Amino acid sequence: MAFIYITSFNEKVVASIVAGAFCLLVSYIASERPNSESARALAALGDRLLAVEQGDLTSPTPRIVRDTMPKLATAVDSLFAEVRASIENAHALGMYDPVTSLPNRLHFRAEADKMLAARPPETMASMLFVDLDRFKNVNDSLGHARGDQLLIMVANRLRVVVTAELGDGQMLRPLLARLAGDEFTIFFPEIGEVADAERIARRIALAISEPFELHGHSVDIGASVGVAICPAHGTTIETLMRAADIAMYRAKQQGGGRYCLFSEELAAEHQQKIDTEAALSEAVQRGEFVLALQPQLSFATGEVCGAEALLRWNHPRDGMRLPGTFIPVAEQTGIIADIGDWVIAEVASMASEWQSQGVKRRISFNVSPRQLDRHDFLPRMRAAFADAGVPLSHLELEFTESAAMDCSEAVLHEIAALRKDGLSIALDDFGTGYSNLARLRALPLDRVKLDQSLIADIEYSEQARVVVQAVIQLIKGVGAEIVAEAVENVAQADILRAMGCDIVQGFVFAGPMFEDEFLSWTRNADRGSRGSNVA
């Protein structure tokens, strides 16, 4: 009013200005209030999202967000639900085997550790390690999909055995898991005595030995079971699993389909194997291998017709070691390839030296299945002898009956080509494998060596003589000469000569000897002189 009085401003104009200002104020308030609610809602949503850093995936969307932005709140809740489901699925995949739905190795170790820690100190526990026998054959013949189905059936049988052992439910529940491939393990946190663990292992072996019906196929596999006892064989899950694993391998070595209880003897053998493996890896470089030569005599002429090169390991601590103490380890680890290359180089050098001295003796040497599996082995062997200037006619390659049965057609073709160029081919340890007679007839062979197990009792057993005579006739039928090895006495030699054996090798005439002694012995062979044997 004062403003109107002083300025003499028109009242209507002033009223209009005041009214306009009031309307602007009301419009601002009306528009600013919703914007403030949205800002607070967005701030609350931001705080909720930041809470995920602390692992909060379960709290609902804040109420202010649900009130002001219901669609956004629904979308956020759905997103968190999907994230939680994905995490749970990932956890399940990380802790359980997707094929059998059993706990996997990670889950088993974590849970077994807890169960072992909670075990009363005065009670015994048991670890069982189960490895399927002949499972690879199922994958190879029926495919991996059928193999997975078989694993599910095996897991169900193991569940039945474990459930049956719970009895009245007073025992702590065992933990069954699939570790990998065809390996399963069961941890019993409480057992009454060692005999209970052995009984369970026996039941598992019997349960898995029953045929499985798999899409019209009757599948026969087995299981090798290793048993370890806590605290006798270890007080941690790691040591118990290691002990059960060692025992399982012994059960498998004994033919499978059985169980084996861990023992200190097994532990010592396993440690020796580890030590042998470690020493073998450097033995070739250190020059610790040597060759001993055992003469082969012709029954027809009585002359030395050749010699077998036998590997010896001059171990720095154990002294001279025979092949049986280290060749199996070398085969398993693949070191046999390096050893085999050394043998070929040594035989080539020896044969070359003999040739320069005018010594005409055939040298036989063994090759392993692992060597034959290498596609370049036979070409490299041929090249090694060619470089040394040694005719293949001075050499004889020996491989075992089982290796011959497993050879590919390509390998057999290469062996036949070597034989055509003069190399003699011998089948070693005949009578210890499972020969396919049709395959035997097709093999490129010059000689077959009877295994010592065939002739061990021929001087006492009529049945043994009948078997040997039948084998000799079989070998004669495929056109090969017969070599009897490990002949120990004159009685055996006389019987084998009468049966038609062609060549004899063994202590009855001479044992293995080193090169200088062998050459001296052969020079005096006509006078019956013998050198000292190498044990």
Side-chain angles (χ1 to χ4, degrees):
M1 292 300 293
F3 176 77
I4 293 172
Y5 178 77
I6 294 171
T7 61
S8 301
F9 224 70
N10 190 294
E11 292 181 6
K12 291 182 179 181
V13 173
V14 173
S16 297
I17 292 173
V18 173
F22 180 75
C23 289
L24 287 173
L25 179 62
V26 171
S27 297
Y28 171 78
I29 293 173
S31 61
E32 184 62 21
R33 186 175 182 277
N35 289 339
S36 299
E37 288 292 322
S38 297
R40 286 194 294 271
L42 291 174
L45 181 59
D47 293 339
R48 173 65 191 91
L49 294 175
L50 291 175
V52 174
E53 292 185 3
Q54 282 72 46
D56 184 4
L57 292 171
T58 58
S59 297
T61 304
R63 182 181 183 85
I64 188 172
V65 179
R66 296 199 304 271
D67 291 343
T68 58
M69 305 174 183
K71 290 184 178 180
L72 178 60
T74 301
V76 170
D77 287 337
S78 299
L79 176 62
F80 277 116
E82 291 179 7
V83 170
R84 288 194 300 271
S86 297
I87 292 175
E88 290 172 0
N89 290 336
H91 179 74
L93 289 174
M95 302 299 285
Y96 289 91
D97 170 44
V99 176
T100 63
S101 299
L102 292 174
N104 62 14
R105 181 187 294 271
L106 181 65
H107 189 181
F108 176 80
R109 288 293 299 269
E111 291 301 314
D113 276 331
K114 295 176 185 177
M115 296 168 73
L116 187 63
R119 176 186 62 90
E122 66 277 4
T123 61
M124 286 194 299
S126 178
M127 180 75 71
L128 273 62
F129 201 103
V130 182
D131 187 270
L132 302 183
D133 303 325
R134 303 180 298 280
F135 178 75
K136 183 178 182 298
N137 296 339
V138 177
N139 273 343
D140 292 343
S141 60
L142 300 180
H144 289 274
R146 295 287 183 263
D148 287 348
Q149 292 173 356
L150 181 59
L151 289 173
I152 294 171
M153 298 168 75
V154 169
N156 289 336
R157 289 194 186 181
L158 293 176
R159 287 186 179 100
V160 170
V161 173
V162 169
T163 301
E165 289 301 321
L166 291 175
D168 56 8
Q170 295 180 355
M171 284 180 55
L172 295 176
R173 186 172 186 84
L175 180 62
L176 168 64
R178 179 192 175 203
L179 298 185
D182 58 354
E183 297 176 350
F184 296 82
T185 189
I186 312 172
F187 178 59
F188 289 85
E190 180 183 1
I191 60 167
E193 53 187 19
V194 175
D196 293 333
E198 293 185 278
R199 174 179 49 79
I200 296 169
R202 192 181 303 111
R203 285 192 61 186
I204 289 173
L206 289 173
I208 305 302
S209 67
E210 293 293 324
F212 292 85
E213 293 300 323
L214 193 61
H215 290 269
H217 298 276
S218 180
V219 177
D220 288 305
I221 60 172
S224 299
V225 186
V227 183
I229 305 298
C230 177
H233 303 147
T235 56
T236 66
I237 293 300
E238 182 178 355
T239 56
L240 288 172
M241 289 182 70
R242 177 176 175 273
D245 188 37
I246 293 171
M248 181 276 294
Y249 273 107
R250 172 51 61 88
K252 193 170 286 290
Q253 290 171 359
Q254 293 174 343
R258 64 189 69 197
Y259 77 91
C260 180
L261 179 66
F262 181 78
S263 65
E264 292 305 318
E265 291 77 14
L266 283 181
E269 290 180 15
H270 182 71
Q271 187 59 48
Q272 184 180 24
K273 177 184 174 183
I274 294 175
D275 295 342
T276 297
E277 180 180 341
L280 274 174
S281 63
E282 300 179 1
V284 174
Q285 287 74 23
R286 291 196 298 256
E288 295 175 0
F289 291 111
V290 294
L291 290 180
L293 300 166
Q294 185 168 32
Q296 297 175 336
L297 279 76
S298 169
F299 269 132
T301 65
E303 297 177 347
V304 177
C305 56
E308 181 180 3
L310 301 170
L311 188 64
R312 299 289 186 264
W313 182 10
N314 190 11
H315 194 278
R317 184 184 68 250
D318 302 337
M320 203 63 70
R321 291 180 60 170
L322 299 179
T325 66
F326 62 88
I327 289 296
V329 177
E331 291 273 7
Q332 293 171 10
T333 58
I335 300 174
I336 192 64
D338 294 333
I339 296 174
D341 289 344
W342 178 87
V343 169
I344 290 173
E346 193 71 8
V347 168
S349 175
M350 186 185 298
S352 178
E353 182 65 23
W354 288 9
Q355 186 178 15
S356 67
Q357 297 176 11
V359 177
K360 296 181 180 180
R361 307 287 184 191
R362 184 181 65 243
I363 305 177
S364 300
F365 60 96
N366 288 272
V367 297
S368 76
R370 294 288 292 269
Q371 289 173 280
L372 291 175
D373 286 341
R374 297 174 60 175
H375 71 279
D376 63 338
F377 169 70
L378 292 174
R380 287 193 301 105
M381 184 188 74
R382 180 193 284 270
F385 291 124
D387 292 343
V390 178
L392 292 179
S393 57
H394 291 189
L395 305 164
E396 182 172 76
L397 182 149
E398 295 185 12
F399 50 94
T400 63
E401 181 183 7
S402 57
M405 294 304 109
D406 293 336
C407 275
S408 67
E409 292 299 325
V411 170
L412 291 180
H413 180 75
E414 289 187 76
I415 291 174
L418 287 166
R419 182 170 179 258
K420 185 178 180 181
D421 291 339
L423 183 70
S424 295
I425 306 297
L427 192 62
D428 196 16
D429 298 334
F430 186 81
T432 60
Y434 302 94
S435 292
N436 180 318
L437 297 183
R439 182 73 177 275
L440 181 64
R441 185 180 60 193
L443 288 173
L445 288 176
D446 293 285
R447 295 170 191 87
V448 174
K449 303 183 74 173
L450 303 182
D451 187 72
Q452 58 182 335
S453 62
L454 285 177
I455 64 176
D457 299 321
I458 58 172
E459 69 268 44
Y460 308 116
S461 170
E462 175 65 25
Q463 186 180 34
R465 290 192 290 272
V466 170
V467 171
V468 172
Q469 185 68 72
V471 171
I472 288 176
Q473 293 303 316
L474 172 66
I475 296 170
K476 292 285 188 180
V478 299
E481 288 186 328
I482 299 145
V483 182
E485 58 182 347
V487 179
E488 302 294 331
N489 54 63
V490 175
Q492 291 177 341
D494 288 342
I495 293 171
L496 290 166
R497 181 189 292 110
M499 287 182 173
C501 207
D502 300 293
I503 298 171
V504 65
Q505 175 183 339
F507 278 89
V508 65
F509 292 113
M513 57 191 80
F514 295 124
E515 183 182 7
D516 290 344
E517 190 177 3
F518 171 80
L519 293 174
S520 176
W521 187 90
T522 53
R523 293 189 191 105
N524 298 301
D526 290 340
R527 296 191 298 271
S529 177
R530 303 178 189 173
S532 300
N533 293 339
V534 178

